[in-house]
């Protein structure tokens, strides 16, 4: 899952980015509203964490522009503005959730997981595909009752596929989820990671199907 973190306090931004990266999120940072607006015009994200008081362009304006482009990406406002009026305004202009600083990172991550489930039309935190099980709270996979060891990139591939289980995921969508905008991406990289995940799913009944020209589909082996 790729996150855009928009926060002008660099110390806080860098600490939170490291914390989320340690929990297997891909995180890109923007330190002012103008940069955030530009990134949201050109890049694809699964979630945006947005401060309000930003240099260049106010966070409320960033959000209004985002929704004006009919971009449905979930937005969690994280700000020092904690009044009822501030919360109401933030939600009314298109935020999906609102948290005040200071905050507990465990609560922030729980709210992030809830927003990501909602965006993918998943209410149950436990997702399954045959004998493959994913706990979206612990973000751990198991296959046929045993833990599944994955590298961070492999985890990101399988996480997106199971979150979109039953739907085709394009190679571009996988690349957007795995890599930051400033990373050089080998065109064959996604195929390599998908191949590695396929090997690790052997012995279970969840398979990744390649749909030529469309992308990849995770489904139970027995499902026709």
């Amino acid at each position: 899952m790729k996150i855009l973190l928009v926060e002008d306090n660099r110390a806080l931004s860098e600490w939170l980015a490291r914390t989320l990266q340690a929990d297997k999120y891909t995180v890109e940072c923007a330190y002012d509203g103008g940069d955030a607006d530009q990134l949201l015009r050109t890049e694809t994200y699964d979630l945006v964490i947005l401060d309000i008081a930003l240099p260049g362009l106010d966070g409320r304006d960033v959000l209004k522009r985002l929704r004006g482009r009919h971009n449905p990406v979930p937005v969690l406002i994280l700000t020092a503005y904690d009044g009822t009026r501030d919360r109401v305004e933030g939600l009314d202009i298109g935020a999906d959730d609102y948290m005040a600083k200071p905050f507990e990172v465990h609560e922030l991550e729980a709210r992030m997981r809830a927003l990501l489930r909602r965006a993918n039309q998943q209410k149950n935190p436990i997702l399954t595909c045959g004998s493959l099980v994913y706990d979206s709270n612990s973000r751990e996979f198991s296959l046929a009752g045993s833990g599944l060891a994955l590298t961070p990139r492999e985890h990101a591939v399988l996480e997106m596929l199971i979150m979109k289980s039953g739907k085709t995921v394009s190679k571009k969508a996988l690349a957007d989820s795995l890599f930051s905008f400033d990373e050089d991406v080998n065109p064959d990289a996604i195929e390599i990671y998908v191949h590695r995940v396929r090997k690790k799913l052997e012995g279970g009944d969840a398979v990744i199907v390649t749909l030529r020209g469309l992308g990849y589909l995770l489904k139970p082996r027995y499902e026709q």
Side-chain angles (χ1 to χ4, degrees):
M1 298 288 116
K2 188 160 80 170
I3 313 298
L4 177 63
L5 173 59
V6 189
E7 168 61 61
D8 66 321
N9 182 323
R10 287 182 178 260
L12 173 59
S13 180
E14 291 169 4
W15 168 79
L16 184 53
R18 288 194 303 271
T19 300
L20 296 177
Q21 287 163 350
D23 287 332
K24 304 185 183 72
Y25 293 101
T26 299
V27 182
E28 292 178 2
C29 296
Y31 303 105
D32 67 66
D35 287 346
D37 184 57
Q38 182 60 33
L39 285 170
L40 288 166
R41 290 176 184 272
T42 58
E43 302 296 321
T44 301
Y45 299 95
D46 297 292
L47 178 71
V48 178
I49 300 174
L50 178 65
D51 192 9
I52 292 296
L54 296 169
L57 188 67
D58 186 81
R60 285 169 286 236
D61 292 324
V62 172
L63 181 53
K64 288 175 183 176
R65 292 186 182 189
L66 178 72
R67 296 309 188 215
R69 296 191 294 271
H70 306 290
N71 188 328
V73 62
V75 175
L76 189 159
I77 289 178
L78 184 63
T79 180
Y81 294 112
D82 192 25
T84 300
R85 181 177 298 178
D86 298 308
R87 291 172 179 267
V88 169
E89 180 184 15
L91 296 170
D92 279 349
I93 62 177
D96 298 274
D97 200 356
Y98 194 109
M99 280 189 72
K101 301 173 185 175
F103 61 94
E104 290 289 341
V105 71
H106 298 300
E107 181 184 358
L108 173 66
E109 290 200 54
R111 290 181 183 230
M112 290 169 55
R113 292 191 294 266
L115 290 175
L116 290 166
R117 285 197 299 269
R118 191 184 310 161
N120 288 287
Q121 300 179 340
Q122 303 280 3
K123 293 186 178 180
N124 191 335
I126 307 299
L127 309 181
T128 62
C129 180
S131 59
L132 178 68
V133 178
Y134 176 61
D135 184 335
S136 65
N137 287 331
S138 65
R139 304 188 71 213
E140 294 179 348
F141 285 96
S142 62
L143 183 66
S146 298
L148 189 61
L150 299 163
T151 67
R153 299 289 200 204
E154 293 166 357
H155 185 282
V157 167
L158 192 53
E159 181 179 48
M160 172 159 276
L161 289 173
I162 200 166
M163 293 288 279
K164 306 284 187 182
S165 187
K167 300 177 183 177
T168 303
V169 179
S170 70
K171 186 181 291 188
K172 182 181 184 304
L174 282 174
D176 287 343
S177 182
L178 263 69
F179 301 103
S180 300
F181 73 93
D182 57 351
E183 289 184 276
D184 291 328
V185 182
N186 186 316
D188 298 326
I190 297 301
E191 294 179 14
I192 292 170
Y193 289 123
V194 169
H195 173 75
R196 290 177 181 173
V197 174
R198 277 197 180 110
K199 295 291 289 183
K200 292 188 176 182
L201 292 179
E202 290 178 355
D205 57 3
V207 294
I208 301 173
V209 178
T210 299
L211 301 175
R212 296 296 178 189
L214 297 175
Y216 303 97
L217 175 69
L218 178 70
K219 69 175 189 175
R221 189 185 303 276
Y222 51 78
E223 187 177 279
Q224 300 299 320

